[in-house]
Amino acid sequence: MDRPWLKHVAEGNPKSIDIPDISLVELFERSTAEYGDHTAVSFFDKTYSYKELNAAIEHFAKKFYGMGIRKNDRVAIMLPNCPQYPISFYGALSCGATIVQLNPMFQAAELLHILNDSETKALIILDRLLPLFEGIKDKTSVQHVLATGLDGGVEEGVPINMPRILIDPKEDVAVIQYTGGTTGLPKGAMLTHHNIVANTLQSAATSEMSTRKGQEKVLTISPLFHVYGMTSGMSVTFYNGGNMILVPKFDVGQVVELIEKEKPTAFPGVPTMYIALLEYHQSRKFDLSCLESCTSGSAPLPLEVLDRFNAISGTTVAEGYGLSEASPVTHRNPVQGLQKKGSIGIPLPSTDSRIVDVATGQETLPAGEVGELVVRGPQVMKGYWNRPEETAHAIRDNWLYTGDLAKMDEDGFFYIVGRKKEMILASGFNVYPIEVENVLYHHPSIREAAVFGVPDAYRGETVRAVVVLKEQATEEELIAYCRTQLSAYKVPEAIVFAEELPKTAVGKILKRALQKQYANL
């Protein structure tokens, strides 16, 4: 197949990489051997060297084994970013167990579904969330519960000697990452050790962190229970011998103080974090020059936000793309060399990508045409947990069908234009919400915006927007502004004002919730 992006791979970056046949545990142990006395984790006033963290991981592995955790058992982690997360994560993996990632903001019904769907055997949970679990405990398969506070300390379990657990990296599932909760019941993407090791090396090879091994200080606010934080925040940092600065919750004032105190060199962020930092900078100037490498994932980064953050930081935010089913990163703008604003960049090393027709998914479309983005590479999941039909639909001939609408230009740079299910068909014309959102974000009065389609008796569907203001503006004024920037069929017929937009834990706007709330005005 034609790979026009290869000519734009940054000098010194590989076009393909060899993936070692090792587990995530072995990958971490290699870093411990090389960077043993370096700081691995910072958490407020606590620090762990690689040797100290590895000792805690080994202790927990024996504790898990003493509780009866064996190979392929599911161990769920329901914690915010704190040292107990990597300790529990690698400790359970050392027993050959599979990690089930849980959002600490889950309510009872969400928690019950995932625990039962995954048949979780053990749960590591933040102590103040115990009452939530106790209310559903008798309805789950969970046999062991370990509670911990942010200040450390874990109940139950006695460490015992354990044998060396043999892990098959390409077959054994390291993580079940639940996804799809915004469009239906979440389904678990099975990520093998090989998948995550591959994506760790792919991501490291295309970032500046690879040139500063053992020196990086990574501001890790993106939650580790999310696949983006797990790989870009934790696994890549450990692979590079860096210091993961853990932040349990995004509070912009506290984050700015932390930046000024710790001087992080890298920041894997999400759009809402960049927006909040920009807003805070308007009222209190602060120095971001310590940041040498910034990436954005989880959701599209509005062009206006990208330009403004680059201006105040002196760095260049490299936007990328990924999804839970791909561990997660598949594309990224080269950190050095050609970058294109509004693009998700080019495929990572050893990753192929193309645009196919929406109707059949079989025809590869030429440059410039919009279709469904499909990818293949060593980071693509094994399949969905206990969902063979959905797996067969998502992975066809080794290609992962992402469900995202995109286009590729002549240089092999890719651009996301929306979700297949979010595309608006207004009077027979395709409207991509991201295009309208980018226009709204350029208006000086708008802080956040979300665009979606609503039923319309005449047009079939029509465009509606919900916005959060930072300065006073009227609906009429904003619609008039859109008319100067967009074709008539793309202009929102109504713009609704809200105090805030509902979001996932990593800042992705929940458009389905907005669509449901504002479908009828």
Side-chain angles (χ1 to χ4, degrees):
M1 62 176 285
D2 187 30
R3 298 178 177 87
W5 58 82
L6 290 180
K7 62 180 178 286
H8 296 293
V9 172
E11 185 177 350
N13 283 358
K15 296 179 179 178
S16 64
I17 57 174
D18 294 323
I19 313 299
D21 193 30
I22 62 173
S23 70
L24 276 169
V25 176
E26 291 173 275
L27 192 68
F28 179 79
E29 288 173 343
R30 289 185 178 186
S31 291
T32 298
E34 188 171 354
Y35 306 106
D37 294 325
H38 290 226
T39 300
V41 170
S42 297
F43 185 66
F44 298 109
D45 294 329
K46 285 187 176 180
T47 61
Y48 291 77
S49 70
Y50 276 84
K51 284 180 182 176
E52 290 169 335
L53 191 64
N54 192 56
I57 289 167
E58 290 180 352
H59 176 81
F60 264 72
K62 293 173 182 177
K63 187 184 287 275
F64 287 133
Y65 195 80
M67 291 164 49
I69 300 301
R70 297 295 184 266
K71 189 173 179 181
N72 299 323
D73 285 343
R74 268 74 66 200
V75 174
I77 304 177
M78 193 173 185
L79 297 173
N81 288 4
C82 59
Q84 294 93 319
Y85 209 106
I87 291 168
S88 301
F89 184 93
Y90 287 97
L93 289 179
S94 298
C95 294
T98 297
I99 302 296
V100 177
Q101 308 262 55
L102 296 174
N103 185 338
M105 291 187 289
F106 277 159
Q107 297 302 305
E110 299 166 302
L111 179 59
L112 183 63
H113 166 70
I114 291 180
L115 290 177
N116 284 343
D117 186 72
S118 61
E119 301 172 69
T120 287
K121 186 173 181 179
L123 170 66
I124 299 95
I125 188 169
L126 190 66
D127 50 10
R128 64 172 176 259
L129 298 177
L130 264 177
L132 174 71
F133 174 70
E134 291 293 337
I136 61 170
K137 180 180 179 180
D138 294 340
K139 300 176 184 178
T140 74
S141 57
V142 175
Q143 298 174 24
H144 305 281
V145 180
L146 283 75
T148 179
L150 290 180
D151 57 351
V154 175
E155 300 173 2
E156 196 184 311
V158 179
I160 65 170
N161 291 327
M162 57 180 282
R164 178 75 175 180
I165 308 297
L166 297 178
I167 295 172
D168 182 340
K170 291 184 178 177
E171 288 300 320
D172 291 339
V173 177
V175 172
I176 298 179
Q177 187 74 43
Y178 277 82
T179 183
T182 57
T183 55
L185 282 177
K187 50 188 180 290
M190 296 186 291
L191 306 178
T192 66
H193 286 263
H194 183 76
N195 291 152
I196 303 173
V197 167
N199 204 229
T200 299
L201 271 61
Q202 290 170 314
S203 299
T206 53
S207 75
E208 288 185 345
M209 288 193 280
S210 61
T211 65
R212 300 191 292 268
K213 284 201 164 191
Q215 305 170 41
E216 206 73 64
K217 298 177 72 175
V218 182
L219 184 62
T220 309
I221 310 171
S222 294
L224 300 182
F225 61 77
H226 187 272
V227 68
Y228 176 51
M230 177 193 72
T231 299
S232 297
M234 182 169 68
S235 189
V236 173
T237 301
F238 288 161
Y239 171 71
N240 282 318
N243 173 10
M244 183 168 63
I245 303 170
L246 287 173
V247 183
K249 181 182 179 182
F250 183 77
D251 177 286
V252 66
Q254 292 177 359
V255 167
V256 168
E257 288 181 11
L258 192 62
I259 291 172
E260 292 176 327
K261 177 185 175 184
E262 297 289 344
K263 304 293 184 186
T265 58
F267 177 41
V270 300
T272 50
M273 294 177 187
Y274 287 110
I275 291 169
L277 288 168
L278 282 170
E279 291 297 307
Y280 194 85
H281 191 268
Q282 284 189 325
S283 59
R284 182 174 92 73
K285 299 294 186 284
F286 56 94
D287 186 11
L288 288 168
S289 62
C290 58
L291 294 174
E292 299 180 39
S293 175
C294 291
T295 57
S296 181
S298 168
L301 183 65
L303 292 177
E304 173 71 7
V305 175
L306 175 69
D307 288 340
R308 289 172 58 204
F309 191 85
N310 287 346
I312 69 167
S313 66
T315 187
T316 300
V317 179
E319 188 170 8
Y321 169 85
L323 64 167
S324 296
E325 292 88 343
S327 308
V329 189
T330 62
H331 296 68
R332 179 179 288 151
N333 267 282
V335 175
Q336 298 174 334
L338 180 63
Q339 289 196 2
K340 296 194 178 186
K341 288 195 302 184
S343 164
I344 59 171
I346 62 177
L348 295 187
S350 300
T351 303
D352 280 329
S353 187
R354 58 195 179 103
I355 306 297
V356 299
D357 71 292
V358 174
T360 70
Q362 298 299 311
E363 180 189 350
T364 299
L365 301 181
E369 289 197 21
V370 172
E372 183 172 0
L373 176 67
V374 299
V375 296
R376 69 180 176 190
Q379 70 271 51
V380 171
M381 68 173 180
K382 187 175 184 177
Y384 291 117
W385 173 260
N386 287 342
R387 284 174 169 76
E389 290 184 5
E390 293 194 47
T391 298
H393 179 73
I395 303 176
R396 301 173 231 167
D397 297 325
N398 293 321
W399 289 94
L400 173 64
Y401 284 67
T402 67
D404 281 317
L405 295 171
K407 60 184 178 181
M408 182 187 78
D409 67 17
E410 296 287 349
D411 291 319
F413 281 71
F414 289 76
Y415 301 76
I416 298 294
V417 299
R419 293 286 296 169
K420 277 172 66 175
K421 293 180 180 178
E422 289 178 0
M423 187 183 74
I424 305 164
L425 191 60
S427 300
F429 295 101
N430 293 342
V431 180
Y432 304 111
I434 192 172
E435 182 182 3
V436 184
E437 288 163 358
N438 273 329
V439 167
L440 289 169
Y441 271 106
H442 273 85
H443 193 282
S445 297
I446 291 178
R447 173 179 288 119
E448 292 183 310
V451 171
F452 48 86
V454 294
D456 182 275
Y458 178 68
R459 303 175 74 194
E461 278 187 300
T462 193
V463 181
R464 187 161 294 171
V466 180
V467 301
V468 177
L469 294 178
K470 58 184 176 183
E471 296 175 8
Q472 187 62 38
T474 66
E475 180 184 17
E476 292 76 15
E477 174 190 343
L478 295 178
I479 290 176
Y481 168 75
C482 288
R483 287 197 182 106
T484 68
Q485 306 292 317
L486 295 164
S487 302
Y489 65 89
K490 299 177 184 177
V491 174
E493 53 81 37
I495 296 179
V496 182
F497 300 107
E499 292 295 320
E500 60 180 1
L501 302 183
K503 301 180 183 72
T504 66
V506 288
K508 187 180 293 185
I509 295 170
L510 292 168
K511 289 190 183 179
R512 192 164 176 262
L514 288 171
Q515 195 170 26
K516 185 176 181 181
Q517 183 177 358
Y518 295 108
N520 300 306
L521 293 179

